Amino acid sequence: MSIDLPDVADTTGQAAALDTQAAVEPKQPSMVLRRFLENRLAILGLLLFLAMTVFCFLGPLVYHTDQIHTRLSEQTLPPGPGHPLGTDQVGYDELGRLMVGGQTSIEIALGAALVAVVLGVVWGTVAGYFGGIIDSFMMRIVDSVMSIPALFLLMFLATMFRPSVLMLILVLGLLAWLAPARLVRGETLSLRSREYVQAVRVMGGRAPRIILRHLVPNVLGTIVVNATFQVADAILAIAAISFLGLGIPPPAANWGGMLSDGLNYTYSGFWWLIYPSGIAIIITVLSFNLIGDGLRDAVGLRAHRRL
Amino acid sequence: MSEDRPLVQVDHVVKEYGSSGWSLRNRGEVVHAVSDVSLSLQRGKTVGLVGESGCGKSTLGRLVVGLEDPTSGTVSFDGVDVRKGSREQRRRARRELQLMFQDPYASLDPRMKVGSIVAEPLVVQHQVSRSQRRERAAALLGEVGLPASSMTRYPYEFSGGQRQRIGLARALALNPQVIVADEPVSALDVSVRSQILNLMLDLQLKHSLTYLIISHDLTTLRYIADEVGVLYLGKLVEWGPSDSLFRATVHPYTKALIDTIPVAKPAPERVRRAIAVQGEMPSALAPPSGCRFRTRCPRAEKVCSEIEPELRAFGGGHVAACHFPLREPVALAAPALRPGVDSAAERTSDPKSDKAGNTTS
Amino acid sequence: MAAMLEISDLVVDIRSGRSTVRAVDGISLTLDPGRTLGLVGESGCGKSTTGLAVLGLLPAGGKVTRGSIRIGGNEIVGLREAEARAIRGRTVGVVFQDPMTALNPTQRIGAQVAEPLLIHGMANRSAAMKQAIDLLGEVGLSRPAAQAERFPHELSGGMRQRVMIALALICGPKLLVADEPTTALDVTTQDQILTLFDSLQQSRDMSILLITHDMGVVAGHTDEVAVMYAGRLAELAATHRLFGGYRHRYTEALLESIPTLDTPRGQRLATIAGLPPNLGGQLAPCRFAPRCAHAEQVCFDMEPQWSEQDEHGYACHLPRRTDADLMTESAGAPS
């Protein structure tokens, strides 16, 4: 026999070897999931988000309301029979409106986070992998865009174009991709010099393969964490633009818009126009922050939230 | 194809970092990683490169497999410059020269299954179909002593030694003729090292592989290499057949390296002897003038700082660059002596092989 | 003369998640003043854990379950954290493998080396600085006053390890625990650092516990050697005695699998089959038995007892016969 007895006798045991090796083990998907599920706050976040989603997207199937036609005869009714959360200043049922508004908010937030993350990953891995002039050039663009005040740009764009769900997704996404791009580029820089990436270069592998098969899967943990925080940020951003009156015009609704409309009636004591949408925003943002924190701990990233 | 022609020829290779004018941070500092090194690998033989960290040995390995491009000089495979040949020739060089890494924990993608890792070179080089790929991966794993069931598992499920086996299987996937192994066992536990070294020897016999083994561990090289080159601050200071290099050492630096090897041997008392070499290797940003080792050399004199020593022949394919060698050279300095080629020619003293050597330059 | 370090029947358990691993299982060692004891073994054998237990630096979940550790005659197992720290602070210094993680990157090295003196109130600022600079010179930094102003990242690996040694010595410890102090260094630097240990030990009359995986390092720089395998002590003897006539089959296998400068080129090396066992799983009575080329049924049935003669101890049912044994046998000495 030309080959010695291989050391296959005990494989998994060695992974738990005490001295030095255990510390460098990369986190596997199953392990990440288990650690995430062991985190009670993260589970709470997940449940809150699921509850909000069910409420917004499935709620209208059970609780039918007319969210198209205004009913001026029924404006600003306090909570009571027929309208559990009352009606708003143009007579829409507040509870139903909360559902419809939530749909828009969640759709935009998820969409914007997706755009931001995809763009950020592509930009970051390409810049990080090629390095040199390409990297310098691409990152200077990021720096330049970052130096434009986001809110100003948002207001500018909102006045230029008629806001729609798609437009808001694009605008918010295009504003938010910078952070993930920097994050991913930083990680790529360190991954690029890893031996397994060099191994692919030695065997003749080209950039697309290295980026897609080896770099992206290995920055995925970071990215998923970042994406969750992006969703939370986007929900707040939508609220902010709507608050400035630059959101999607009625009859479409979103939580931010509802909140800003309601605030006009603060002194009239119409609390049901303020609290429900405000609480919905808080719960959703909180749920994503909890999920994000849980994921971050599960994939073993260090303390800093972004960048 | 001449049997005497070296399979891999490294000719006057220089690698400097930071010399490009593009970076804004560049302050005109140049790292001289490899300075005018020539050597050659003969088919089926094992060459070892040894030196302290920062001596350029890893860079040289990366230059050979094409991970880095030399600043000047050439690396040729089977007589063809690996950067200048036709597209097909360059592709061939890529296939024939493979690298085995030091760190079994960093050299395998943690997100890929072992089967995909081993088969990846086949995918990259568009060889064989999907089902054949699986078969080939299983066969490769078998060759390195791992069961086919390993294919569906992730690297973290394996020990360091087993991961080195997986790395070796991946390096073998394209049936290369040359494997450059950068510290193949230094990250492993002592009891596992010999398993990997034996496996490498078996595979060399079976596939008539040519090895370039880079290591800081002279003992391992003494054992596994036919010829050993000693690098210091980017310069080849000594080169010779393994036995000759250890038994009839020429360069004071090589002597110091040998003297500092901790030997696991019975000693009557705790030996307290003088330190073999003082100080540490100077920075590669500003190598000393003349002989680069002179700042730490016990034999250094004035001439060492003024004139850079040339490689001189010491018989039997043994060459070294030193003004005050530990033994006398056999001949005067031959111009542009290239270790491995000229030394082979010298050994056989056959005019035909001499000519073969010249045609490659 | 009281031992500097006396470990007896030490058991360390490390809990992670739901499982507990017995990393050290009944180790007994004695280190006399002014001597060096080498603790050798492969990764996971418990050598580092033993060192950490002495230092009181066991990782989270780690705990001394049984046994005693006496430093300079003082028992530290069972003491309250603050009391144990007081004993260690005065008498124990430590050098780790990676000085970069042990040194503060934002602080100049002189200030770092001087800091322990200030913490323990052993000197005022200027005296502490002077002492630190003197010590940096003693451990082999040229122009120590200038070097003291530099940051760790400005130094080479060997220099950093020297700073680390100065930091370990500043309070004048009587016991130095060095855990793989030269593993990350080049051979020439390793040689310098080990020689430095030797001379420091002589000039300061210090005891050194040298933890390493390298048999060669142990052979040249220790007075006694303890070989560990899978949490247990396999063999313990004076260094020249051990290398002259090792008895345990693990020591034998380990030494014979290392190529030496005399190993014929290309000859197959002796190997040890398999891997060290998983300490969380089932273990054979003799823990080396499953990998041992000489193992017989008894090795799987009974735990080998510790036997000791002429201060050479080992735990092996079928020990290697030494040259001396063979000589007596061939002389035909009846019983």
Side-chain angles (χ1 to χ4, degrees), chain B residues 283-350:
Chain B
S283 162
L285 282 170
S289 64
C291 172
R292 293 189 176 183
F293 183 56
R294 69 175 164 86
T295 52
R296 300 167 73 192
C297 184
R299 301 167 77 92
E301 291 184 23
K302 192 156 174 283
V303 62
C304 301
S305 63
E306 289 161 354
I307 301 168
E308 192 175 329
E310 298 264 321
L311 283 174
R312 289 189 286 174
F314 286 81
H318 199 141
V319 297
C322 180
H323 290 304
F324 302 101
L326 298 171
R327 61 189 174 90
E328 283 310 304
V330 291
L332 288 172
L337 201 60
R338 286 166 314 164
V341 197
D342 303 300
S343 49
E346 182 202 329
R347 255 198 309 268
T348 52
S349 70
D350 175 2

Side-chain angles (χ1 to χ4, degrees), chain A residues 1-17 19-22 24-32 132-133 135-136 140 185 191-206 209-210 212-222 299, chain B residues 22 24-25 62 65-68 87 91 94-95 97-99 101-112 116-117 120-125 142-147 150 153-163 165 170 174 187 189 192 194-195 198-199 202-203 206:
Chain A
M1 179 153 157
S2 68
I3 288 165
D4 263 21
L5 252 181
D7 40 357
V8 277
D10 170 13
T11 52
T12 41
Q14 190 66 12
D19 277 2
T20 48
Q21 307 183 345
V24 296
E25 290 307 320
K27 302 291 180 296
Q28 290 307 308
S30 59
M31 201 194 303
V32 170
I133 319 165
D135 177 43
S136 301
R140 290 306 82 75
R185 180 247 180 190
L191 287 175
R192 178 178 68 153
S193 59
R194 292 284 167 87
E195 293 185 341
Y196 60 79
V197 172
Q198 301 189 358
V200 187
R201 288 175 57 199
V202 176
M203 61 183 83
R206 292 178 198 287
R209 176 175 191 88
I210 293 175
L212 292 177
R213 293 295 306 271
H214 297 278
L215 296 179
V216 171
N218 281 291
V219 295
L220 216 57
T222 317
V299 299
Chain B
W22 278 101
L24 292 173
R25 290 188 202 92
R62 296 162 60 88
V65 295
L67 259 184
E68 309 253 2
R87 197 183 146 83
R91 270 183 80 89
R94 265 280 148 96
R95 279 200 306 273
L97 292 156
Q98 287 297 315
L99 184 61
F101 292 91
Q102 169 180 8
D103 184 351
Y105 294 89
S107 57
L108 308 177
D109 188 337
R111 300 263 180 263
M112 270 176 117
S116 315
I117 290 174
E120 191 169 23
L122 304 172
V123 182
V124 168
Q125 292 279 349
E143 272 205 73
V144 298
L146 291 174
S150 319
R153 299 164 75 182
Y154 285 99
Y156 77 96
E157 298 176 69
F158 295 85
S159 71
Q162 290 167 333
R163 291 187 206 202
R165 287 173 194 268
R170 173 177 61 190
L174 295 169
D189 254 327
V192 184
S194 53
Q195 293 176 1
N198 280 345
L199 176 64
D202 290 338
L203 292 169
K206 195 168 163 204

